[in-house]
C-alpha cells in the first residue's frame, strides 16, 4: 500500500518558468531547505538507519567544521513521515569528530557510505574526508559509536578520500571496504569480522594512484565474483577482473572500458532492456566528452555516447539511472557545475529515454535544469508513494529535494513495484545483486550496488510498471551467483525478498536453461589446457565454443558421450597460438547452456 506523506511548501518550477511539461514534472519541496540547513554540501546517501520503514539522509558538508556555525555541520536527517525531516546529528552522536577534516580544493567532508558491515540489520556509516576517515557503528538505538580506531580504517592525515564503497569481493558474506582517493593511493580493507579489517591494498594490486572519484563493483563476467571499475580524474579509468583468492588483473583494454579523461561519476543501467548492463561516466565535456559504454552481451563494451546524445553534460558530477515516468525504461539525471569561467551557465540535465536508441534532455521543460553547482545526487522514494524522487547536494546553495508527481498526474503509467533485498549467505544488504522482472513476456533489469559519486545508499530496487497490474516473475541473482525467484506479484507494493526463502532458479542470461553448479571449468586463468568437470550425469552432445573479445571463433569442439558420473572433458590444444588476454566461452550439453569468460596467461 502507498503511504501518505504530507507535502508542504512546494513550488512547481515548471509552472514558475512558464514551461510546458512534455515528460515529467517534479516539485521542489521548499520546506526541506529549512530542515537540511546545509549551504555547501558534497555527498548524499540514504538508508533506513532506524528501521522505521522510511529512508533517512546523511549529507556531508564541504566546509571545514565550525562548532559555532551549524551550516558547516555534516548532518543526519531523520525521516519522520508526514512531519518531514528532523535533524538527528547531535542525538545520534555523529556530531563528534567532525573536526577531523580540513578544507581542501574539493571540500573538507566528501563521501558518506551506508553498509551493514557486521550483518546485524542496522546500517553502519563510513565517512570519507580530506584527512582522516571515520567508521561509525550503528548501535540500534538511534546512536552511533566511533569504531574507526579498532577497525583501523582511518587512512592518514595526508589522505584525501573521495568515497568508500562497501562490497563483498571474496563472497564470504560480509562487506569489505574500498576507499577511493582523490589524492594518494586507493585503500582496500578486507572485513575479518568483529570490527577488524585488514589492509590488502598492495597484495591485491588495487592500490591505484589514478585520482579516483568513484569505484564501481560489478560482476561483468557473471562468475559470482565482483569485479571493480575505477573512474579516475586526470588519468586512465581502470577495470580489474576478480580472479578469486585476492588476485585481480587489469583488463581495461580487453573489455573496452578504456577512457583517458576527467572521470567523475558513474552509473549502471540497462537502457535498452537487452539484459546486459551498460556503464555511463560523467566528465568535463570541455576537455573530454562523457563515454556511454554499451555492453554487447559478452562483457565487451563500445562507447556510444555521441550516438545516444549523452556525451555532453557540461562539468558533470553525480549521475543516476531511474525510471522517472514509469514507462518501463530507465531515464538519466546528471548534476554539474564548477567554480570556473568555462562552467558558468552549466545546468543540470535530465535525459528522457525515448526508446529506439535515443535520449533527449527535457530538463528545461521539467524544472530540473538547476544552475547551482552540484556534485552529490541520490534518487529514492522519500515519501513512500511508489515513485523515485531526487535529492541534489549543491555546493553553492541549500540542498534541493524534488518530489516526483507521476502518480498524482495519473494516466496509464501509474504502476510500480519496489523490491527490498536481504542477503543471507551473501552480504545482508545484497550489494552486487541483479534483479530481473517479467511482465507479459518482456524482461526488465536492474543492477544493485547502491554506489554513486560521493555516496552509497541502501534502498529498494525500483521498477516502473506502466499499465501492468502485476509482475509475472521476479528473478534475483544474488551476489554469489545464486538465482531465486517468485511469481505472480501484485503491483504497487514494497516486497521483501530474503535469500534462501525463495524458489531456486535454473535460468541464466535471458531465459536459457543453466548448467549452474553441475559443471566446473578450470583452471582460470589457463595456460595450456581447460578441464570441463561435470558433477552430475551428462549424455549426448557437448559443444564448447571459445571466442575472442571481437566475437571471432577461436576454438570449437564437440563430443558425443554416453551418460556418466563425474565426467571430465579435457581440452589440451588451446594454449598454443593464443595470446594472453580475455576469451569468452559457450558450453551446451544435456544439462543446459553456460557462458562465461576465461583468462589466458
Amino acid at each position: 500500500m502507498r503511504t501518505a506523506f504530507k507535502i508542504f511548501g512546494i513550488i512547481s518550477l515548471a509552472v514558475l518558468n512558464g514551461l510546458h511539461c512534455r515528460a515529467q514534472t517534479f516539485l521542489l519541496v521548499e520546506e526541506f531547505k529549512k530542515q537540511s540547513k546545509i549551504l555547501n554540501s558534497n555527498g548524499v546517501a540514504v538508508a533506513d538507519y532506524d528501521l522505521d520503514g522510511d529512508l533517512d539522509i546523511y549529507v556531508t558538508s564541504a566546509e571545514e567544521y565550525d562548532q559555532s556555525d551549524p551550516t558547516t555541520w555534516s548532518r543526519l536527517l531523520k525521516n519522520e513521515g508526514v512531519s518531514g525531516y528532523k535533524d538527528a546529528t547531535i542525538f545520534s552522536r555523529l556530531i563528534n569528530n567532525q573536526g577531523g577534516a580540513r578544507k581542501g580544493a574539493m571540500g573538507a567532508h566528501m563521501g558518506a557510505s551506508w553498509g551493514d558491515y557486521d550483518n546485524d540489520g542496522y546500517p553502519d556509516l563510513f565517512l570519507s574526508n580530506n584527512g582522516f576517515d571515520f567508521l561509525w557503528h550503528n548501535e540500534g538505538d538511534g546512536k552511533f559509536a566511533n569504531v574507526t580506531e579498532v577497525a583501523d580504517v582511518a587512512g592518514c592525515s595526508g589522505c584525501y578520500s573521495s568515497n568508500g564503497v562497501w562490497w563483498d569481493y571474496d563472497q564470504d558474506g560480509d562487506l569489505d571496504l574500498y576507499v577511493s582517493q582523490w589524492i594518494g593511493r586507493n585503500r582496500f580493507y578486507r572485513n575479518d569480522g568483529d570490527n577488524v579489517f585488514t589492509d590488502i591494498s598492495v597484495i591485491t594490486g588495487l592500490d591505484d594512484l589514478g585520482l579516483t572519484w568513484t569505484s564501481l563493483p560489478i560482476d561483468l563476467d557473471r562468475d559470482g565474483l565482483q569485479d571493480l571499475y575505477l573512474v579516475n580524474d586526470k588519468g586512465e579509468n581502470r577495470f580489474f577482473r576478480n580472479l578469486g583468492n585476492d588476485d585481480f588483473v587489469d583488463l581495461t583494454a580487453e573489455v573496452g572500458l578504456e577512457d583517458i579523461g576527467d572521470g567523475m561519476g558513474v552509473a549502471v543501467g540497462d537502457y535498452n532492456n537487452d539484459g546486459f548492463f551498460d556503464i555511463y561516466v560523467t566528465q568535463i565535456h570541455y576537455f573530454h566528452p562523457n563515454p556511454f559504454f554499451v555492453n554487447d552481451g559478452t562483457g565487451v563494451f563500445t562507447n556510444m555516447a555521441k550516438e545516444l546524445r549523452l556525451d555532453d553534460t557540461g562539468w558533470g558530477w553525480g549521475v543516476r539511472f531511474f525510471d522517472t515516468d514509469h514507462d518501463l525504461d530507465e531515464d538519466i539525471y546528471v548534476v554539474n557545475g564548477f567554480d570556473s569561467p568555462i562552467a558558468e551557465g552549466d545546468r543540470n540535465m535530465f535525459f528522457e529515454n525515448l526508446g529506439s536508441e535515443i535520449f533527449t534532455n527535457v530538463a528545461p521543460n521539467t524544472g530540473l535544469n538547476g544552475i547551482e553547482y552540484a556534485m552529490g545526487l541520490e534518487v529514492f522514494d522519500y515519501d513512500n508513494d511508489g515513485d523515485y524522487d531526487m535529492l541534489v547536494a549543491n555546493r553553492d546553495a541549500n540542498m534541493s529535494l524534488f518530489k516526483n508527481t507521476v502518480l498524482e498526474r495519473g494516466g496509464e503509467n501509474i504502476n510500480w513495484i519496489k523490491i527490498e533485498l536481504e542477503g543471507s549467505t551473501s552480504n545482508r544488504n545484497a550489494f552486487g545483486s541483479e534483479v530481473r522482472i517479467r511482465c507479459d513476456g518482456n524482461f526488465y533489469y536492474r543492477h544493485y550496488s547502491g554506489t554513486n559519486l560521493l555516496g552509497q545508499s541502501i534502498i529498494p530496487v525500483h521498477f516502473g510498471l506502466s499499465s501492468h497490474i502485476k509482475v509475472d516473475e521476479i528473478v534475483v541473482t544474488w551476489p554469489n551467483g545464486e538465482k531465486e525467484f517468485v511469481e505472480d506479484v501484485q503491483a504497487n507494493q514494497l516486497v521483501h525478498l530474503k535469500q534462501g526463502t525463495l524458489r531456486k532458479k535454473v535460468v541464466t542470461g535471458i531465459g536459457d536453461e543453466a548448467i549452474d553448479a553441475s559443471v566446473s571449468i578450470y583452471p582460470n586463468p589457463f595456460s595450456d589446457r581447460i578441464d570441463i568437470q561435470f558433477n552430475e550425469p551428462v549424455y549426448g552432445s557437448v559443444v564448447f565454443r571459445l571466442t575472442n573479445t571481437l566475437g571471432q571463433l577461436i576454438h570449437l569442439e564437440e563430443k558425443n558421450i554416453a551418460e556418466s558420473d563425474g565426467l571430465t572433458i579435457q581440452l589440451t590444444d588451446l594454449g598454443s597460438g593464443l595470446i594472453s588476454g580475455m576469451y569468452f566461452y559457450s558450453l551446451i550439453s544435456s544439462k543446459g547452456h553456460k557462458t562465461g569468460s576465461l583468462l589466458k596467461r
Side-chain angles (χ1 to χ4, degrees), residues 323-344:
D323 185 2
T324 59
D325 48 7
H326 291 194
D327 65 350
L328 295 166
D329 56 29
E330 291 183 284
D331 311 296
I332 300 173
Y333 193 64
V334 181
V335 298
N336 60 31
F338 196 64
D339 185 14
S340 168
I342 64 172
E344 186 175 350

Side-chain angles (χ1 to χ4, degrees), residues 21-26 324-325 350 365-366 404-406 409:
C21 175
R22 57 164 288 191
Q24 176 77 27
T25 298
F26 283 79
T324 59
D325 48 7
F350 173 31
N365 299 335
T366 59
N404 191 339
T405 65
V406 64
R409 296 202 321 275

Side-chain angles (χ1 to χ4, degrees), residues 73-76 87-96 143:
W73 300 0
S74 296
R75 293 185 179 272
L76 177 66
D87 192 332
T89 312
I90 295 177
F91 177 81
S92 67
R93 300 176 182 164
L94 288 171
I95 193 67
N96 299 330
K143 298 181 176 63

